[in-house]
Amino acid sequence: MEPITVYEYDRLHLGKELDPKVYDALVDFYGDDKNDSFPYYSLIKDGIRFKQYVGMLSVGGQVIEVLPKADKNAKGNENWRNGLLHMLRRVYKLEVKSPSQAPQKLTSSAILDIFINRFLNEVDVLLNRGLVKCYHREEGNLFALKGKLLWNKQLSKNCVHKERFYVNYTTYDREHIMNRILRQALEVIPKITTNPSLSGRATSTLFNFPELKPLQVTAEIFSNLAFDRKTEDYRAAVEIAKLILLHYVPKSEIGKTDILALMFDMNKLWEEFIYRVLRRGLNDCKVQPQKSQQLWKSKNNYKFIRPDIVIMNDGKTFVLDTKWKVPEKSTPADGDLHQMYVYLKEFEAEKVALLYPQIGQESDVNGNFIKGQKSCDMLFLPNYDSNQDWETAICKKISEWITK
C-alpha cells in the first residue's frame, strides 16, 4: 500500500483514502465510539479525524504519517517532516545529522526508521561488550541435587522417579529484565517495519541474542526499572524499546491486524525540544524546565504554577511559555496572558514571553502589562530550514531577547 501523509487535525475517509480493512482496524484500535479520551484521533462519519498527536501509524501494511502543522491553512511542505524528525532526534538523543536521512531521501516511514536504526546500533554495542548477567531464583525437577530440596513437591512428583530432585536454586545467567525487554523489541521489529534492511538486521541480531523467557510488557515494568553502574549503557536502547513495545498492539489483542502507533503529543514535543535546544545553546545561562512554585494552599490541598522554561542570567529571571499554535491577529489568548502575569509576579521575572512557531512572515509583538510596565512579548521562532542551523537560529533569537 502507498503511504498516506496527513497533518494535525486532518481527516481520512473510508473508500477515499482508507481501505476498508485499514479503517476497521483503526475503529477496533479506537475501541468504544464514546471513548473521547483516545489521544490520537476521533471517529467521524465513515472516517477519522486526527488530534494534536504527530508521528506514524502502521496498520498492517499501511503506513499513515501524521506531520505537525501549527497553521491548519498552510499548504503541505517537506520542511514539516524534516522539522519533526529533527525535533525527535534532539528530544530522544538520536543523531541530529545523519547522511542516510538527508531531506531528499526521507520517506513516510523515516520516523520509525530512525528509532529502529538507533535501537539496533545500541543493541550491537551491548552484544559486543557482553550482555549483563544477574542472579535469580529457579525452581525445577532436576537430575542433580543443587540448592534447596523442596520436600512437599519432591514427595508429590518424584515418588516413582527417585533419580530426580525437585529443588529451588540460584542461577547466574543473562535472564536479566533488560535483556528480555531488548529481545522482545527485536522480535517485534520485523512485524512493524517496511524497511527490508532494518528487518533483516533485527532478524540477524536475534540469532546472536540468547534465548530468554518471554515477557508480558506493561508500563509498570518500565517504571520499576533502575539503572546502575552495570546497566547504564542499556538506557538508550531500553527507552527506544519502551517506545516500540508500549505502542505496539498485536493482532491477537484487537481485530486481525497488527498496529504500531508511534505518536507524540506535539505540544509536549515542541516544549521539550525548545528546552533542550536552549539548555544546549545558551551557555551563559541556567535553563530549567517546568520549575514548580507553590501558588495557593488550604488545609488539605496545594496549587502550583509550573512554567515551561525558566532562564537565569546575571541574577535576572526570564520565563518562557511554549505554544504550538498560531495566535489570532497576533494577540495572545486571555488565558495565556493571565498565566504569564502570574509567572511574572510569582517568579519576580525581568520579563516573560510566549513562544510560537513562525508561520509565514509574522513579526514579534512587544507588549507590556499596564500595571508595572513589565514586558510580556510574543516571539515567533524560526521553523526548520535545511539551509541554516535551526537550533542556532532559535538560541540567537532568545539570547537577543534576554539582552535587549
Side-chain angles (χ1 to χ4, degrees):
M1 297 181 184
E2 287 294 320
I4 299 172
T5 298
V6 296
Y7 295 87
E8 291 174 87
Y9 302 103
D10 276 357
R11 303 181 180 209
L12 294 177
H13 297 89
L14 173 64
K16 294 182 180 179
E17 302 91 354
L18 292 177
D19 178 89
K21 291 183 179 179
V22 173
Y23 174 72
D24 290 342
L26 291 171
V27 171
D28 288 339
F29 186 39
Y30 184 86
D32 186 350
D33 60 3
K34 295 181 180 178
N35 183 11
D36 294 331
S37 63
F38 189 78
Y40 309 136
Y41 53 82
S42 57
L43 298 183
I44 59 175
K45 184 179 180 181
D46 294 331
I48 63 172
R49 181 177 185 268
F50 291 95
K51 297 184 180 180
Q52 81 274 14
Y53 278 73
V54 299
M56 193 205 74
L57 279 167
S58 178
V59 187
Q62 179 68 71
V63 172
I64 302 174
E65 179 187 42
V66 187
L67 298 179
K69 183 176 287 188
D71 180 8
K72 63 182 179 182
N73 296 316
K75 294 183 178 180
N77 192 311
E78 185 68 19
N79 274 357
W80 292 111
R81 178 184 293 150
N82 296 328
L84 174 59
L85 290 170
H86 187 105
M87 283 189 275
L88 291 173
R89 287 178 178 132
R90 172 59 65 209
V91 170
Y92 289 94
K93 300 179 182 178
L94 306 173
E95 288 230 8
V96 175
K97 296 180 180 179
S98 174
S100 63
Q101 297 293 348
Q104 67 271 22
K105 295 182 180 180
L106 294 177
T107 66
S108 294
S109 61
I111 294 171
L112 177 61
D113 290 352
I114 63 169
F115 282 99
I116 292 178
N117 186 64
R118 172 65 188 277
F119 174 75
L120 293 174
N121 289 343
E122 291 292 331
V123 172
D124 285 344
V125 170
L126 293 172
L127 282 171
N128 288 334
R129 291 178 180 173
L131 298 179
V132 67
K133 291 184 177 182
C134 66
Y135 288 100
H136 61 94
R137 303 295 296 180
E138 290 278 0
E139 187 176 298
N141 212 6
L142 308 181
F143 287 100
L145 178 61
K146 59 188 296 188
K148 180 182 178 182
L149 185 66
L150 301 179
W151 282 105
N152 289 339
K153 292 186 177 181
Q154 173 70 13
L155 294 174
S156 64
K157 294 180 178 293
N158 294 332
C159 284
V160 176
H161 299 284
K162 295 184 179 181
E163 74 283 3
R164 296 182 181 179
F165 304 90
Y166 203 97
V167 293
N168 183 292
Y169 59 96
T170 300
T171 186
Y172 184 65
D173 56 24
R174 293 186 172 84
E175 284 283 351
H176 194 284
I177 183 68
M178 295 187 191
N179 291 334
R180 295 168 69 189
I181 288 172
L182 300 188
R183 182 174 180 89
Q184 202 95 341
L186 286 170
E187 291 173 349
V188 167
I189 287 172
K191 301 175 184 177
I192 60 176
T193 181
T194 57
N195 186 319
S197 174
L198 294 177
S199 178
R201 278 188 65 192
T203 303
S204 176
T205 304
L206 268 173
F207 284 121
N208 298 320
F209 222 84
E211 288 291 337
L212 302 172
K213 295 177 182 177
L215 186 67
Q216 185 66 37
V217 177
T218 63
E220 186 178 5
I221 286 177
F222 290 97
S223 64
N224 291 334
L225 288 180
F227 294 91
D228 56 23
R229 180 178 57 82
K230 289 185 176 181
T231 58
E232 183 59 35
D233 291 341
Y234 276 69
R235 188 180 293 274
V238 167
E239 288 183 355
I240 298 175
K242 175 183 176 180
L243 276 174
I244 293 173
L245 294 175
L246 292 185
H247 290 81
Y248 171 67
V249 183
K251 59 186 177 182
S252 59
E253 294 185 19
I254 57 162
K256 300 178 180 178
T257 307
D258 291 328
I259 290 182
L260 175 73
L262 200 61
M263 303 286 279
F264 309 88
D265 187 327
M266 193 57 216
N267 298 311
K268 293 180 180 178
L269 182 62
W270 175 244
E271 173 190 328
E272 182 68 17
F273 171 67
I274 297 301
Y275 159 67
R276 289 184 180 272
V277 167
L278 296 181
R279 187 184 66 174
R280 185 171 181 263
L282 299 182
N283 298 321
D284 297 330
C285 301
K286 181 180 180 181
V287 182
Q288 296 176 286
Q290 296 194 337
K291 183 179 179 181
S292 296
Q293 186 160 304
Q294 193 178 109
L295 178 66
W296 176 90
K297 70 176 180 177
S298 67
K299 184 177 181 180
N300 300 315
N301 293 297
Y302 295 88
K303 288 290 184 179
F304 294 85
I305 53 173
R306 189 178 289 109
D308 293 342
I309 301 171
V310 176
I311 299 176
M312 306 293 293
N313 183 52
D314 290 336
K316 298 178 181 178
T317 301
F318 304 86
V319 178
L320 304 173
D321 208 50
T322 59
K323 300 294 179 184
W324 182 256
K325 62 182 179 181
V326 178
E328 294 183 7
K329 300 179 182 179
S330 296
T331 303
D334 289 347
D336 294 338
L337 204 55
H338 298 160
Q339 191 177 38
M340 299 308 289
Y341 186 76
V342 173
Y343 293 159
L344 185 72
K345 291 296 183 182
E346 293 300 317
F347 284 88
E348 299 179 351
E350 187 72 15
K351 54 183 177 178
V352 296
L354 292 157
L355 306 184
Y356 301 93
Q358 187 167 40
I359 308 296
Q361 301 297 320
E362 297 99 336
S363 298
D364 295 341
V365 177
N366 298 318
N368 293 320
F369 289 112
I370 301 301
K371 188 175 182 180
Q373 289 293 306
K374 285 282 190 174
S375 174
C376 178
D377 301 318
M378 301 172 66
L379 305 181
F380 293 89
L381 301 183
N383 278 324
Y384 177 85
D385 186 344
S386 59
N387 296 318
Q388 70 172 8
D389 188 328
W390 187 22
E391 297 187 10
T392 298
I394 291 173
C395 289
K396 180 181 178 182
K397 182 147 196 171
I398 299 302
S399 180
E400 290 175 349
W401 174 77
I402 289 173
T403 57
K404 188 175 179 180

